Amino acid sequence: MESRNLTGYFVYILTIATLGPLLFGFHLSELNAPEDVIRCKKKSIKAAVAGPNLPQCIEMSPTEWGVVGSLYTLGGLMGALSAGPLAGRYGRLRAMQISTLFFAVGPIFEALSPNIGVMAFGRLLSGVGAGAAVVIVPLYISEIAPPGKKGFFGAFTQIGCNVGILITQLLGYFLSHDSYWRLILAIGGVIGAVQGAGLLLSVESPKYIAEQGNVSLAKKTLRKIRGEHADIEDEMNDWGASSAGQVDEEEQTLLSNEDGPVDARSKQSGKEQTLSIMQVFRHADYQKAAIAVVMVMLAQQFSGINSIVMYGVSLLAGLLESNSALLNLAVSGLNIVVTAGCAPLADKLGRKVCLLSSLAIMGTSSLLLAIGIIKSIPVLSAVAVLLFVSGFAVGLGPVPFILASELVGPDAVDATQSIALGANWIATFIVAQFFPLASAKLHGKVYFIFAALSAFFFAFISWYVPETKGKKNADETSAPNAEKHDHTANGAHHGPPPSIISPAFTPPATPGVSTPSHPRPPRSIPVDTSLSTSTPRPDLLPKLPQVECEVRARIPTTTGHEMWLHVYRNSVDTKEHLAIVFGSQIRSRSLDAERPGETELDRMTRGAYVGRLYPGRTSSRVEQLKKAAGVPSKREPESAFSSAHIDDSNGLLSPSSASSENGEVQPISPSELPLVRIHSECYTGETVWSARCDCGEQLDEAARLMADPALSPSGGAIIYLRQEGRGIGLGEKLKAYNLQDLGNDTYEANILLRHPADARSYGLATAMLMDLGLDGDRGIRLLTNNPDKVRAVEGPDRQVVVRERVAMVPIAWKTGGMKGIKSDEVEKYLSTKIEKFKHMLDQK
């Protein structure tokens, strides 16, 4: 969106919101220029009464002055930590309105302070407002800014801070005498009142409204910001706003009249639970992002910028004499010009490039400033200060405020912003409290410390912080190789969408693309994924997980058949995944492998034996038993698949390719290949008799097909993965059920919960099939209605080869409704598989 397309209303709400960061900068430096007047340090000033009970100045020791300055940062910390939860619960607009109360009241205590205590209290209140503002306003600006321009408008937070600093420097330059310093402090309250009035005509962030479930109101609000003729559909799609949640104006009116405000109900149905500060740090997906944002915020303060902003006049007074105040004015003006001029760089060059450039310039400037002060070279010091501030404006000024909204999802952005700004305020407190002491002891050498810190943060950001330029959401930023797969210049993505089945990456929120469709297949078809195809392929892990079968046991079933239950452990999670095996010729390699120090009883206890266990059996190995009984060894007859032959190394049956006497592979028909089903855990469908899905029925049907020697002469295996609810977990699945009762299908419910349509991973299944000897060119039959699953199960190098895809037909369809699960919910579930996932098109 070009500047000429920006509406006047957008400029208005942007300006009003930016008054918050302006007041942050105002209060940050309001005591800088008039310090000598306030503390009665100028010889011409007497502690005369300036008005009723108000002294002209207030004598303070350096320690007391440090307390007055640092209480502002303490208030800022309080405001920053509380603002995130406040903005998440009540909205960005209401949170900004609350912060203006502190901006209006705090300066009253400051301007009318008769003593140190009252002034310190006023500074504390102003700090609370400032701390809240720099948390909320960057979020608000990021959510109302046009796509592709978030970096540019995100810089307005820092520009506002710089304008506030310049205002106080100008006021201080002209009003630092007599009691006029009180007027400087009072003007901050006036600006706070102006912002409070201006917010009455502002609107809530449309993205925040959409996240509460009221998509219709969000669309109306965004239309007001962008203009009546603006195309806003793509922007709303980037938010993940589902069309299923839209309610037109007529429906809203009717619902409001009948059942109360639709907005309240929409919030209940559409809002995902926001995370607390501690939950963000414990969250596997957001922990790294939170650390990155915190470290960037610490870099902003420990680079030394506030040593110039807060103490520049007194620091350089001895060196530059009467010109120190003018230099600070020049610094403030330069900061605004450079920040505004460099604002587009974050979108053009990238956030990370700007941060690293900023640290390099500031580190070099710190060295020059240290030399200038130590060697008493005024020109070098002045140039170093101006270069120092310019470097800050390039990246460390504007970029940190926008990172939180780009590195984490909507459920964590409020808490992450509070964490980041809380760290920022702690760092500001440290600089405000200890820089005067360090400067008094070390003089110019203190800037060697800032140079070293800049070098440290340069190295850390280079290694740890990801680039967020061009990324629409946190999923794209956190995805593996996200920086390598950039979008086109305008952020558009061309070509077919990626498959939703991918063991390489399961995103914490919906990728924002629809499930790909597939051509109608026959009921049961041969497949060969080595052939070229136009359908998108899943991104597979370059290296499969490591798996090991811990134990297996014979399980007689209620149908009269037997199966072998295998329990697996792996290198990627702590769950006990299962393999349900039909047929004795399918064996686990890791289970049969000898383990150091184990006895024959140990081997039989964990199931590493051949044949059947019986009382008095002493060996797990067939050959040893035969020798002990005096029975000559005979070669076992070979089956059509993986004939169970004796492995000479351990005397155990193990799978191998069916071969003739001369070792040539014998051709076999697809029906003789073992049948494999990849099944994900479904507690509700398998255990508590749910009629919302047919998962339990599918599991039973798979077992029936594999146990029947006429249908599966080579047996089969059900790989039972602990991936409840398509990988989202039981708790989230129950939430999805509630959303389905509200009118969404299973696909839409997952999207509303910020989950992919299918979050399951199949890398474990591939590794388990290989361990069971079902790998190799001979191949398997895969029982599935999903064509995507074929390539996902085969693995990155086709370690497992699927020769035939066998359809899983619902029993109710095969029997004309006489048998099988019958319910409205399961019909909707199966319809969604057809319409959204394009499964079972050949069966309907």
Side-chain angles (χ1 to χ4, degrees):
M1 180 179 289
E2 302 295 334
S3 59
R4 64 177 178 272
N5 295 328
L6 298 177
T7 63
Y9 187 70
F10 170 76
V11 175
Y12 169 78
I13 61 176
L14 176 69
T15 303
I16 293 299
T18 308
L19 290 178
L22 182 148
L23 286 169
F24 161 75
F26 185 99
H27 291 295
L28 184 67
S29 63
E30 64 186 351
L31 303 183
N32 189 352
E35 175 184 351
D36 290 347
V37 178
I38 297 173
R39 295 178 57 190
C40 309
K41 288 176 66 176
K42 288 189 177 181
K43 295 181 180 179
S44 59
I45 295 177
K46 305 293 183 184
V49 176
N53 302 320
L54 297 180
Q56 182 174 326
C57 61
I58 304 172
E59 292 189 13
M60 291 183 238
S61 66
T63 302
E64 291 171 332
W65 181 249
V67 169
V68 170
S70 57
L71 273 177
Y72 174 70
T73 62
L74 178 60
L77 177 61
M78 295 166 57
L81 293 178
S82 59
L86 194 69
R89 182 171 184 179
Y90 298 108
R92 282 69 164 120
L93 181 62
R94 182 60 57 86
M96 285 192 292
Q97 290 172 335
I98 294 174
S99 72
T100 60
L101 296 177
F102 292 92
F103 280 139
V105 175
I108 296 176
F109 287 93
E110 293 182 57
L112 301 179
S113 57
N115 52 50
I116 299 172
V118 176
M119 177 176 282
F121 180 68
R123 291 277 291 169
L124 181 70
L125 293 180
S126 297
V128 172
V134 292
V135 170
I136 304 162
V137 173
L139 293 178
Y140 183 74
I141 292 177
S142 175
E143 291 172 355
I144 66 170
K149 296 292 183 182
K150 295 185 183 297
F152 174 78
F153 287 106
F156 277 58
T157 299
Q158 186 61 31
I159 292 174
C161 295
N162 296 338
V163 171
I165 292 171
L166 178 61
I167 291 173
T168 55
Q169 298 290 0
L170 284 170
L171 292 174
Y173 186 76
F174 293 106
L175 299 179
S176 293
H177 58 85
D178 300 322
S179 293
Y180 288 104
W181 59 269
R182 295 182 182 273
L183 181 60
I184 298 174
L185 305 184
I187 288 175
V190 175
I191 299 174
V194 170
Q195 186 191 26
L199 287 174
L200 296 176
L201 301 177
S202 298
V203 291
E204 181 57 86
S205 155
K207 183 179 180 183
Y208 175 82
I209 297 173
E211 288 167 358
Q212 309 313 297
N214 197 337
V215 180
S216 178
L217 179 59
K219 186 173 184 178
K220 183 178 179 180
T221 304
L222 185 61
R223 180 78 64 191
K224 182 176 182 180
I225 296 173
R226 297 282 180 264
E228 289 299 322
H229 303 292
D231 183 5
I232 61 174
E233 295 301 325
D234 288 343
E235 183 173 356
M236 294 193 69
N237 289 337
D238 290 342
W239 300 343
S242 172
S243 60
Q246 295 184 19
V247 182
D248 62 31
E249 294 182 12
E250 182 179 0
E251 289 172 326
Q252 272 193 329
T253 303
L254 292 173
L255 290 170
S256 298
N257 292 337
E258 292 182 8
D259 301 316
V262 70
D263 184 48
R265 292 191 342 275
S266 297
K267 287 183 179 181
Q268 297 302 321
S269 63
K271 182 180 179 183
E272 61 180 305
Q273 184 179 3
T274 56
L275 302 180
S276 67
I277 290 175
M278 293 309 299
Q279 286 173 326
V280 169
F281 273 121
R282 290 195 297 262
H283 199 286
D285 296 319
Y286 298 145
Q287 184 183 63
K288 182 177 179 180
I291 294 173
V293 176
V294 166
M295 292 300 287
V296 171
M297 280 294 183
L298 292 178
Q300 186 187 66
Q301 294 306 316
F302 287 140
S303 64
I305 185 63
N306 278 335
S307 68
I308 302 296
V309 172
M310 301 174 72
Y311 301 106
V313 173
S314 58
L315 174 70
L316 301 173
L319 192 63
L320 301 175
E321 299 178 354
S322 62
N323 293 324
S324 60
L326 281 174
L327 177 62
N328 266 264
L329 273 175
V331 165
S332 300
L334 180 67
N335 207 350
I336 295 174
V337 172
V338 177
T339 303
C342 295
L345 293 181
D347 289 323
K348 292 182 179 180
L349 301 180
R351 281 62 158 152
K352 191 170 182 177
V353 172
C354 289
L355 287 173
L356 295 177
S357 301
S358 185
L359 283 165
I361 296 171
M362 295 181 73
T364 304
S365 302
S366 294
L367 292 175
L368 294 177
L369 183 57
I371 295 171
I373 295 175
I374 294 170
K375 301 294 185 180
S376 299
I377 307 175
V379 175
L380 180 60
S381 299
V383 171
V385 168
L386 296 176
L387 187 62
F388 188 91
V389 173
S390 299
F392 180 78
V394 169
L396 271 183
V399 172
F401 293 106
I402 63 176
L403 278 184
S405 61
E406 297 180 334
L407 284 176
V408 299
D411 55 334
V413 68
D414 301 319
T416 303
Q417 191 80 332
S418 282
I419 294 167
L421 270 300
N424 187 284
W425 280 102
I426 292 173
T428 302
F429 174 84
I430 293 173
V431 173
Q433 186 69 27
F434 297 106
F435 176 77
L437 301 176
S439 179
K441 293 286 186 182
L442 301 174
H443 303 290
K445 294 178 182 177
V446 71
Y447 281 95
F448 287 133
I449 298 176
F450 288 129
L453 288 171
S454 296
F456 166 75
F457 284 113
F458 183 96
F460 180 85
I461 291 174
S462 299
W463 163 66
Y464 195 83
V465 178
E467 178 59 76
T468 61
K469 171 197 169 188
K471 307 301 186 295
K472 295 179 181 179
N473 50 46
D475 302 337
E476 294 185 9
T477 301
S478 59
N481 304 318
E483 295 181 37
K484 298 179 182 178
H485 303 289
D486 215 350
H487 293 291
T488 55
N490 60 0
H493 181 77
H494 299 291
S499 167
I500 60 171
I501 297 183
S502 171
F505 173 61
T506 299
T510 173
V513 294
S514 60
T515 304
S517 60
H518 302 279
R520 180 187 295 257
R523 292 178 70 90
S524 180
I525 59 172
V527 293
D528 188 354
T529 58
S530 64
L531 302 177
S532 60
T533 176
S534 60
T535 58
R537 297 193 172 213
D539 295 325
L540 304 179
L541 287 171
K543 183 178 180 181
L544 292 172
Q546 295 179 354
V547 298
E548 183 178 41
C549 182
E550 289 288 306
V551 63
R552 74 159 188 160
R554 181 183 61 87
I555 307 292
T557 67
T558 55
T559 62
H561 299 97
E562 287 186 346
M563 60 92 166
W564 299 87
L565 185 61
H566 298 61
V567 177
Y568 276 84
R569 298 192 182 277
N570 63 85
S571 60
V572 294
D573 62 40
T574 59
K575 301 174 184 177
E576 291 183 332
H577 301 280
L578 308 175
I580 305 170
V581 174
F582 297 85
S584 59
Q585 68 269 38
I586 300 176
R587 298 188 61 87
S588 165
R589 292 164 175 164
S590 61
L591 181 76
D592 286 344
E594 293 188 8
R595 300 179 184 179
E598 69 176 358
T599 64
E600 285 297 298
L601 178 60
D602 293 334
R603 290 184 59 81
M604 290 188 289
T605 301
R606 61 182 179 85
Y609 63 89
V610 176
R612 298 284 290 268
L613 294 179
Y614 51 85
R617 180 168 175 172
T618 58
S619 175
S620 63
R621 293 156 171 85
V622 173
E623 287 299 287
Q624 291 182 5
L625 290 173
K626 289 181 177 180
K627 289 179 181 178
V631 178
S633 176
K634 293 183 180 180
R635 182 181 177 87
E636 295 280 341
E638 297 192 335
S639 67
F641 165 80
S642 260
S643 66
H645 77 278
I646 304 299
D647 187 332
D648 294 335
S649 64
N650 57 20
L652 286 172
L653 290 167
S654 64
S656 68
S657 298
S659 59
S660 64
E661 291 292 328
N662 59 9
E664 295 178 352
V665 176
Q666 300 298 306
I668 58 175
S669 66
S671 63
E672 294 176 322
L673 295 174
L675 186 62
V676 171
R677 170 74 176 174
I678 311 301
H679 184 91
S680 293
E681 178 182 26
C682 179
Y683 179 85
T684 52
E686 298 162 14
T687 309
V688 295
W689 319 288
S690 170
R692 286 184 176 271
C693 65
D694 62 344
C695 297
E697 181 179 278
Q698 288 186 10
L699 185 63
D700 291 342
E701 180 66 1
R704 184 188 71 83
L705 293 174
M706 294 177 192
D708 190 330
L711 297 175
S712 300
S714 298
I718 299 173
I719 303 300
Y720 188 101
L721 301 176
R722 297 295 175 84
Q723 297 184 142
E724 177 72 50
R726 292 186 175 272
I728 66 176
L730 180 58
E732 290 298 286
K733 185 171 82 169
L734 296 184
K735 294 179 185 177
Y737 283 166
N738 292 331
L739 289 173
Q740 290 171 34
D741 288 343
L742 289 169
N744 302 284
D745 60 36
T746 183
Y747 177 93
E748 293 165 341
N750 275 22
I751 299 301
L752 287 172
L753 290 171
R754 304 287 176 182
H755 295 297
D758 192 337
R760 290 174 292 184
S761 174
Y762 293 91
L764 280 170
T766 306
M768 291 166 67
L769 290 173
M770 293 174 63
D771 182 69
L772 290 170
L774 299 179
D775 53 349
D777 291 336
R778 174 108 10 216
I780 62 170
R781 293 182 296 152
L782 186 63
L783 184 60
T784 180
N785 295 315
N786 185 354
D788 270 292
K789 194 181 291 186
V790 173
R791 185 67 187 91
V793 169
E794 286 187 325
D797 298 317
R798 294 194 76 204
Q799 290 93 336
V800 175
V801 178
V802 178
R803 295 298 183 188
E804 185 178 76
R805 181 171 67 84
V806 181
M808 171 67 81
V809 184
I811 294 177
W813 292 7
K814 291 194 295 185
T815 62
M818 298 298 295
K819 298 180 180 179
I821 299 174
K822 295 181 287 293
S823 70
D824 291 339
E825 288 82 358
V826 79
E827 283 300 316
K828 292 177 181 178
Y829 172 77
L830 295 175
S831 296
T832 301
K833 281 189 170 183
I834 297 171
E835 296 167 6
K836 295 294 180 68
F837 295 95
K838 310 301 181 186
H839 300 175
M840 302 186 289
L841 290 176
D842 56 308
Q843 308 302 333
K844 188 66 173 172

